[in-house]
Amino acid sequence: MTLTLTVSDEVRALAPGFTHVAIEAYGLVNGPSTEGTSALLDDAARRLAVRLDGRAPHEDPHMAAWRETYTAFGSKPSRTRNSAEALAKRALSDAGLPRINVLVDVYNAISVAHLIPVGGEDTDHIQGGMRLVRATGEEDFVTVAGGEEAVEHPDAGEVVWRDDAGVTCRRWNWRQGPRTRLTEESASAVFLLESLAPMPVADLERAGAELAELLEKFSPGARITVHAPE
């Protein structure tokens, strides 16, 4: 793998059923949302509704596991939801899913359809390897507040993704920082699909395979590598 991804022993101890699939992609073509990605998001919302069959997203066993894990590291899961639950709630609302750009629409569709957290990071803006760790509370998380750049710090013990420059995503997969976000200019990316027990690893792999197929569809000729679950 060109980009190193590591999960700390402390996170493994907190969530022994955690598994992730990483997809590296180079030569991507991004741009504004299209009719194709909009249709993909609409279809994902329909697939979600069938999967839930009238239940709220947090009643799904996989989402319940994420809530338990968030509680275990000190977050309030009803206030700071994991990214999949937050997207699922939007998908089922009257407003529906947001349209961001082609790459973000594609991975959001996979997240909603499979009800798993999925993130995308611009590897051209990642410094060093990516690490999933429990924060000390002193790390920098550069975000935007009131239209201006602001620096926050995670809570001590909070699970965060980080690189050599600082935190890239707070509360595991709750809020991504703008530094590594996929923009319309992004051409290289790593996509992370994350699951907890009781989700079977085979289900995570199927979601990864579907995401890879969609990336090839929307970026013909891109070099895409799906890594084995870890």
Side-chain angles (χ1 to χ4, degrees):
M1 189 171 189
T2 306
L3 175 73
T4 59
L5 292 173
T6 57
V7 179
S8 72
D9 291 342
E10 292 80 7
V11 173
R12 293 289 188 193
L14 177 75
F18 173 63
T19 307
H20 71 273
V21 165
I23 300 175
E24 279 188 287
Y26 300 93
L28 294 166
V29 179
N30 202 8
S33 301
T34 66
E35 289 184 5
T37 62
S38 185
L40 197 64
L41 290 167
D42 288 340
D43 181 62
R46 286 191 290 269
R47 291 168 65 181
L48 174 68
V50 170
R51 173 185 288 268
L52 291 174
D53 193 24
R55 294 173 298 162
H58 70 268
E59 295 175 295
D60 177 85
H62 189 216
M63 293 298 94
W66 276 104
R67 284 194 165 215
E68 289 174 9
T69 301
Y70 268 49
T71 299
F73 67 76
S75 272
K76 295 183 178 178
S78 59
R79 189 174 66 188
T80 55
R81 296 178 175 87
N82 76 81
S83 64
E85 184 183 331
L87 269 180
K89 282 182 67 67
R90 294 192 69 170
L92 298 173
S93 71
D94 291 339
L97 289 164
R99 274 59 173 165
I100 309 296
N101 59 53
V102 168
L103 293 177
V104 175
D105 290 354
V106 166
Y107 80 69
N108 278 349
I110 293 297
S111 176
V112 169
H114 293 269
L115 203 52
I116 56 174
V118 182
E121 306 279 351
D122 189 324
T123 51
D124 290 334
H125 295 284
I126 293 171
Q127 298 185 31
M130 288 182 62
R131 308 185 293 282
L132 187 65
V133 301
R134 299 198 71 174
T136 65
E138 297 180 0
E139 299 89 346
D140 287 345
F141 177 70
V142 180
T143 185
V144 176
E148 298 194 3
E149 185 176 287
V151 178
E152 299 177 355
H153 303 284
D155 299 326
E158 181 182 324
V159 176
V160 298
W161 279 102
R162 65 159 301 162
D163 65 2
D164 289 352
V167 173
T168 58
C169 195
R170 285 199 60 188
R171 296 196 176 107
W172 207 314
N173 48 48
W174 166 66
R175 184 197 289 171
Q176 183 185 30
R179 173 169 59 90
T180 58
R181 191 175 292 160
L182 294 178
T183 69
E184 293 181 16
E185 289 73 43
S186 297
S188 302
V190 59
F191 299 90
L192 286 172
L193 300 87
E194 303 181 304
S195 71
L196 295 171
M199 173 171 272
V201 173
D203 288 357
L204 183 68
E205 290 180 297
R206 275 191 287 273
E210 186 178 344
L211 176 53
E213 289 175 5
L214 289 172
L215 292 172
E216 291 169 356
K217 175 184 176 181
F218 286 95
S219 289
R223 304 184 305 283
I224 298 166
T225 303
V226 181
H227 295 277
E230 293 185 25

